[in-house]
Coordinates of all heavy atoms in Angstrom, one line a residue:
M5 N -17.6 6.3 -4.3 CA -16.4 6.2 -5.1 C -15.2 6.7 -4.3 O -14.0 6.3 -4.5 CB -16.5 7.1 -6.3 CG -17.4 6.5 -7.4 SD -16.7 5.1 -8.3 CE -15.3 5.9 -9.1
F6 N -15.4 7.7 -3.3 CA -14.4 8.3 -2.7 C -14.1 7.9 -1.3 O -12.9 8.1 -0.8 CB -14.6 9.9 -2.7 CG -14.5 10.5 -4.0 CD1 -15.6 10.8 -4.8 CD2 -13.2 10.7 -4.6 CE1 -15.5 11.3 -6.0 CE2 -13.1 11.2 -5.9 CZ -14.2 11.5 -6.6
W7 N -15.0 7.3 -0.6 CA -14.7 6.9 0.8 C -13.6 5.9 0.9 O -12.8 6.1 1.9 CB -16.0 6.4 1.6 CG -16.4 5.0 1.3 CD1 -17.3 4.5 0.4 CD2 -15.8 3.8 1.9 NE1 -17.4 3.2 0.4 CE2 -16.5 2.7 1.4 CE3 -14.8 3.6 2.9 CZ2 -16.1 1.4 1.7 CZ3 -14.5 2.3 3.2 CH2 -15.2 1.2 2.7
P8 N -13.4 5.0 0.0 CA -12.2 4.1 0.1 C -10.9 4.9 0.0 O -9.9 4.6 0.6 CB -12.4 3.1 -1.0 CG -13.8 3.1 -1.4 CD -14.2 4.5 -1.1
I9 N -10.9 5.9 -0.9 CA -9.7 6.7 -1.1 C -9.4 7.5 0.2 O -8.3 7.5 0.7 CB -9.9 7.7 -2.3 CG1 -10.1 6.9 -3.6 CG2 -8.7 8.6 -2.4 CD1 -8.9 6.1 -4.1
F10 N -10.4 8.1 0.8 CA -10.2 8.9 2.0 C -9.8 7.9 3.1 O -8.9 8.3 3.9 CB -11.5 9.6 2.4 CG -11.9 10.7 1.5 CD1 -13.3 10.8 1.1 CD2 -11.0 11.5 0.9 CE1 -13.6 11.8 0.2 CE2 -11.4 12.5 0.0 CZ -12.7 12.7 -0.3
L11 N -10.3 6.7 3.2 CA -9.9 5.8 4.3 C -8.4 5.4 4.0 O -7.6 5.4 5.0 CB -10.8 4.5 4.2 CG -10.4 3.4 5.2 CD1 -10.4 3.9 6.6 CD2 -11.3 2.2 5.0
A12 N -8.1 5.1 2.8 CA -6.7 4.7 2.5 C -5.7 5.8 2.8 O -4.6 5.6 3.4 CB -6.6 4.3 1.0
V13 N -6.1 7.1 2.5 CA -5.2 8.2 2.7 C -5.1 8.4 4.2 O -4.0 8.6 4.8 CB -5.7 9.5 2.0 CG1 -5.0 10.7 2.5 CG2 -5.6 9.4 0.5
F14 N -6.2 8.4 4.9 CA -6.2 8.6 6.4 C -5.3 7.5 7.0 O -4.4 7.8 7.9 CB -7.6 8.5 6.9 CG -7.7 8.7 8.4 CD1 -7.7 9.9 9.0 CD2 -7.9 7.6 9.2 CE1 -7.8 10.1 10.3 CE2 -8.1 7.7 10.6 CZ -8.0 9.0 11.2
A15 N -5.5 6.2 6.7 CA -4.7 5.2 7.2 C -3.2 5.3 6.8 O -2.3 5.0 7.6 CB -5.3 3.8 6.8
D16 N -3.0 5.7 5.6 CA -1.6 5.8 5.1 C -0.8 6.9 5.9 O 0.4 6.8 6.1 CB -1.5 6.0 3.6 CG -0.3 5.4 3.0 OD1 0.7 5.1 3.7 OD2 -0.3 5.2 1.8
V17 N -1.5 8.0 6.2 CA -0.8 9.0 7.0 C -0.3 8.4 8.3 O 0.8 8.6 8.7 CB -1.8 10.2 7.3 CG1 -1.2 11.1 8.3 CG2 -2.0 11.0 6.0
F18 N -1.2 7.7 9.0 CA -0.8 7.0 10.3 C 0.3 5.9 10.0 O 1.2 5.7 10.8 CB -2.0 6.5 11.0 CG -2.7 7.6 11.7 CD1 -3.9 8.1 11.1 CD2 -2.3 8.1 12.9 CE1 -4.6 9.2 11.7 CE2 -3.0 9.1 13.5 CZ -4.1 9.7 12.9
Y19 N 0.1 5.2 8.9 CA 1.1 4.2 8.6 C 2.5 4.8 8.4 O 3.5 4.3 9.0 CB 0.6 3.5 7.2 CG 1.6 2.6 6.7 CD1 1.6 1.3 7.0 CD2 2.6 3.0 5.7 CE1 2.5 0.4 6.5 CE2 3.5 2.2 5.2 CZ 3.5 0.8 5.5 OH 4.4 0.0 5.0
Q20 N 2.6 5.9 7.7 CA 3.9 6.6 7.5 C 4.5 7.1 8.8 O 5.6 7.0 9.1 CB 3.8 7.7 6.4 CG 3.4 7.2 5.1 CD 4.3 6.1 4.5 OE1 5.5 6.2 4.7 NE2 3.7 5.1 3.9
I21 N 3.6 7.7 9.6 CA 4.0 8.2 10.9 C 4.6 7.1 11.8 O 5.6 7.2 12.4 CB 2.9 8.9 11.6 CG1 2.6 10.3 10.9 CG2 3.2 9.2 13.1 CD1 1.3 10.9 11.4
C22 N 3.8 6.0 11.8 CA 4.3 4.8 12.6 C 5.6 4.2 12.0 O 6.5 3.8 12.8 CB 3.2 3.8 12.7 SG 1.8 4.3 13.6
S23 N 5.7 4.1 10.7 CA 6.9 3.5 10.1 C 8.1 4.4 10.5 O 9.2 3.9 10.8 CB 6.7 3.5 8.6 OG 5.8 2.5 8.3
K24 N 7.9 5.7 10.4 CA 9.0 6.6 10.7 C 9.4 6.6 12.2 O 10.5 6.8 12.5 CB 8.7 8.0 10.2 CG 9.8 9.1 10.5 CD 10.2 9.8 9.3 CE 11.2 10.9 9.6 NZ 12.5 10.5 9.2
S25 N 8.4 6.4 13.0 CA 8.5 6.5 14.5 C 8.9 5.1 15.1 O 9.1 5.1 16.3 CB 7.3 7.0 15.1 OG 7.0 8.3 14.6
T26 N 9.0 4.1 14.3 CA 9.4 2.8 14.9 C 10.8 2.9 15.5 O 11.7 3.4 14.8 CB 9.4 1.7 13.8 OG1 8.0 1.6 13.3 CG2 9.9 0.4 14.3
P27 N 11.0 2.5 16.7 CA 12.3 2.7 17.4 C 13.4 2.0 16.6 O 13.2 0.9 16.1 CB 12.1 2.0 18.7 CG 10.6 2.0 19.0 CD 10.0 1.9 17.6
A28 N 14.5 2.7 16.4 CA 15.6 2.2 15.7 C 16.2 1.0 16.3 O 16.9 0.2 15.7 CB 16.7 3.3 15.5
T29 N 16.0 0.8 17.6 CA 16.5 -0.3 18.3 C 15.7 -1.6 18.2 O 16.1 -2.7 18.6 CB 16.7 0.0 19.8 OG1 15.4 0.4 20.4 CG2 17.7 1.1 20.1
L30 N 14.5 -1.4 17.6 CA 13.6 -2.5 17.5 C 13.8 -3.2 16.2 O 13.8 -2.6 15.1 CB 12.1 -2.1 17.6 CG 11.0 -3.1 17.3 CD1 11.0 -4.1 18.4 CD2 9.7 -2.4 17.2
N31 N 14.0 -4.6 16.2 CA 14.1 -5.3 15.0 C 12.7 -5.2 14.3 O 11.7 -5.5 14.9 CB 14.4 -6.8 15.3 CG 14.4 -7.6 14.0 OD1 13.6 -7.6 13.2 ND2 15.5 -8.4 14.0

Side-chain angles (χ1 to χ4, degrees):
M5 288 288 293
F6 290 102
W7 80 263
I9 299 293
F10 294 136
L11 175 61
V13 168
F14 181 77
D16 212 344
V17 167
F18 284 97
Y19 172 89
Q20 297 305 320
I21 290 169
C22 292
S23 292
K24 178 127 177 106
S25 301
T26 297
T29 56
L30 175 66
N31 180 312

